Amino acid sequence: MIIVLKQHAPDAQVQAFCAELRGMGFEINDSVGSDTHILGLIGDTKALAESWVLANPVVETCRRVSEPYKKANRKFHPDDTVVDVGGHRIGGGHFAVMAGPCSVEGPEQITGIARRVQAAGAGILRGGAFKPRTSPYSFQGLRAEGLELLQQARAATGQPIVTELMNNEHIPLFEEAGVDMIQIGARNMQNFELLKAVGRLKVPVLLKRGLSSTLEELVMSAEYIMAEGNPNVVLCERGIRTFEPSMRNTLDISAVPMLKKMTHLPVVIDPSHAAGIAFMVQPLAQAAVAAGADGLMIEVHNDPARAKSDGAQSLTPDQFDALMAVIRPELEFFGKTLN
Ligand code: PEP
Ligand code: MN
């Protein structure tokens, strides 16, 4: 149930009401917006009479909600959430571009690409150190060394870094490296122990949609992270499995307006994994901006033909420059601020 409080309701009365509700066994998601104060009740409200709630003088109105997600629900929190990643804001009109190679491959590679994507306007550097690969015989990432190289690139450019965490046991390594944003990959979207573990951290989380997951499942995974106390979640649509074989995945562009209706969390698009082919990345990125996305994640490689992973979908730095040249005026048109 959501309870909208009256504007200027006396704080002491609000606190007394909240204490009463907590005494009845409800957890309260307290959301104070610019001109609304909303209480989201978490727990079984079937036995709670609306007439009893409405009788309290601090209550303006109340409504039952059936969605199983509470903390991520836009109804409890009408204002957009803005997530700060090392000083770069995502959401609420702030647009973030995260770019870099699929995998960190060496010091010159990652720092060289970091400089190029930063010069083009990417505020955040991406790069995989621990890679989830379909085949156990494929390159698995430079692992701990990859994290070190990401730190070197960050020291060189000042860009915050986002990289994928695949395993709870690697959390101390990520903390030691001061990873600015932890990526939970598509294959781990429903690894609930991993979600709970990153929920106990304060670091922003980039949560990618599973290969065949519904939007409600994605939001429920965000709920796992938020329920543990970490509100800094950014959702990422990265293409889903469909019957269409000509692309790697199908970009579900309708996920953007639907997720924004369902939740207050920022939504970013990864056109690289959605398409799987470099020539499609720019048009899909343009579509993402037009659909209202809060950011992009794009794979860029200095030598895509020799990339250790995802070369076919990687843009060269020159192609990334061209993409940004198209995106900048589009962002201006839609009233978004780049990073
Ligand atoms: C990646 O970002 O390189 C990656 C593996 O993404 P996804 O989890 O979306 O496949
Ligand atoms: Mn990749």
Side-chain angles (χ1 to χ4, degrees), residues 278-301:
F279 87 91
M280 291 185 68
V281 172
Q282 181 179 310
L284 295 182
Q286 288 175 257
V289 176
D294 299 294
L296 290 167
M297 170 170 263
I298 294 179
E299 287 188 341
V300 178
H301 197 281

Side-chain angles (χ1 to χ4, degrees), residues 102 126 131 248 273 299 310 313:
C102 180
R126 70 144 282 147
K131 293 304 303 177
R248 181 175 180 180
H273 290 86
E299 287 188 341
D310 288 349
Q313 68 198 33

Side-chain angles (χ1 to χ4, degrees), residues 3-144:
I3 302 174
V4 181
L5 300 182
K6 285 191 181 135
Q7 267 187 332
H8 316 300
D11 195 48
Q13 283 183 40
V14 171
Q15 291 319 320
F17 182 46
C18 289
E20 206 170 348
L21 291 166
R22 285 197 187 94
M24 294 161 88
F26 297 112
E27 192 191 322
I28 299 177
N29 188 61
D30 196 9
S31 170
V32 185
S34 42
D35 44 28
T36 46
H37 186 174
I38 296 175
L39 307 178
L41 295 197
I42 302 173
D44 186 358
T45 57
K46 277 198 285 295
L48 184 64
E50 278 161 68
S51 55
W52 180 85
V53 174
L54 291 167
N56 192 296
V58 299
V59 174
E60 179 72 44
T61 178
C62 72
R63 183 149 52 114
R64 291 191 187 278
V65 286
S66 52
E67 292 93 351
Y69 45 94
K70 308 292 175 193
K71 291 181 190 290
N73 200 319
R74 168 88 65 185
K75 285 181 188 159
F76 290 177
H77 187 297
D79 296 337
D80 286 342
T81 281
V82 180
V83 173
D84 189 299
V85 180
H88 292 276
R89 283 176 287 181
I90 314 178
H94 302 277
F95 193 90
V97 177
M98 311 170 209
C102 180
S103 299
V104 178
E105 297 174 11
E108 292 83 22
Q109 178 246 19
I110 187 66
T111 301
I113 296 173
R115 289 192 205 282
R116 283 296 304 267
V117 297
Q118 183 180 43
I124 301 172
L125 175 67
R126 70 144 282 147
F130 294 89
K131 293 304 303 177
R133 303 306 300 281
T134 301
S135 165
Y137 309 116
S138 302
F139 177 61
Q140 301 287 306
L142 292 181
R143 304 173 71 82

Side-chain angles (χ1 to χ4, degrees), residues 102 126 131-132 164 183-187 208-209 211 238 248 270 273 297 299 310:
C102 180
R126 70 144 282 147
K131 293 304 303 177
E164 178 166 353
Q183 176 172 325
I184 300 295
R187 291 153 193 83
K208 298 187 96 176
R209 182 180 183 182
L211 279 68
R238 45 76 73 204
R248 181 175 180 180
D270 169 354
H273 290 86
M297 170 170 263
E299 287 188 341
D310 288 349

